[in-house]
Amino acid sequence: MDWPHDPDGEEGSEGMRKYGMAIFAKKVDEEGDFPLRFEEFLADHGDDPIRINYAKVVPAREILERVDTEEVADIVEFHRAVGRAMREGGLWDYHPVGANPERKSA
């Protein structure tokens, strides 16, 4: 896929130093973007590359289209909604010892 910017550049994952949720966090302003409507966020960032791990980059759309809520009030709700979507799509690589990766709660 031709990305609108380098997935590993300063606009992307900063030379492969940041992955998944950290990339999404860079795209929101905690004070100015909330409440946040996911439809608008998807329109603005759907084609942006999101590095999942050292080997995989997906368009943000692949994650955002799985978000199960229309709007979130703050950054905590944002992270929970995006996290659920990443897990639902099989794009969440970190599973703490003893955690059930199939569980779909936040």
Side-chain angles (χ1 to χ4, degrees):
M1 176 173 190
D2 289 330
W3 301 110
H5 58 265
D6 178 1
D8 297 322
E10 289 304 311
E11 290 182 67
S13 55
E14 298 179 5
M16 294 180 65
R17 292 187 304 274
K18 295 194 177 182
Y19 301 98
M21 194 64 75
I23 306 301
F24 277 110
K26 289 174 49 177
K27 297 181 181 300
V28 294
D29 172 9
E30 227 177 307
E31 298 190 16
D33 289 343
F34 294 95
L36 181 138
R37 295 195 49 76
F38 274 103
E39 183 177 317
E40 295 168 10
F41 191 75
L42 174 61
D44 291 343
H45 299 288
D47 292 329
D48 291 358
I50 302 295
R51 180 165 291 287
I52 300 303
N53 57 38
Y54 72 94
K56 186 171 187 167
V57 178
V58 299
R61 166 176 326 285
E62 190 169 320
I63 298 165
L64 296 172
E65 287 177 344
R66 295 178 182 277
V67 168
D68 60 3
T69 187
E70 292 181 19
E71 183 175 292
V72 291
D74 57 34
I75 191 78
V76 173
E77 286 184 32
F78 174 82
H79 283 297
R80 287 179 178 156
V82 171
R84 283 191 306 271
M86 290 177 75
R87 286 188 295 279
E88 176 71 25
L91 299 170
W92 193 269
D93 281 352
Y94 176 70
H95 302 287
V97 174
N100 180 354
E102 299 299 316
R103 196 172 121 212
K104 294 183 181 177
S105 65

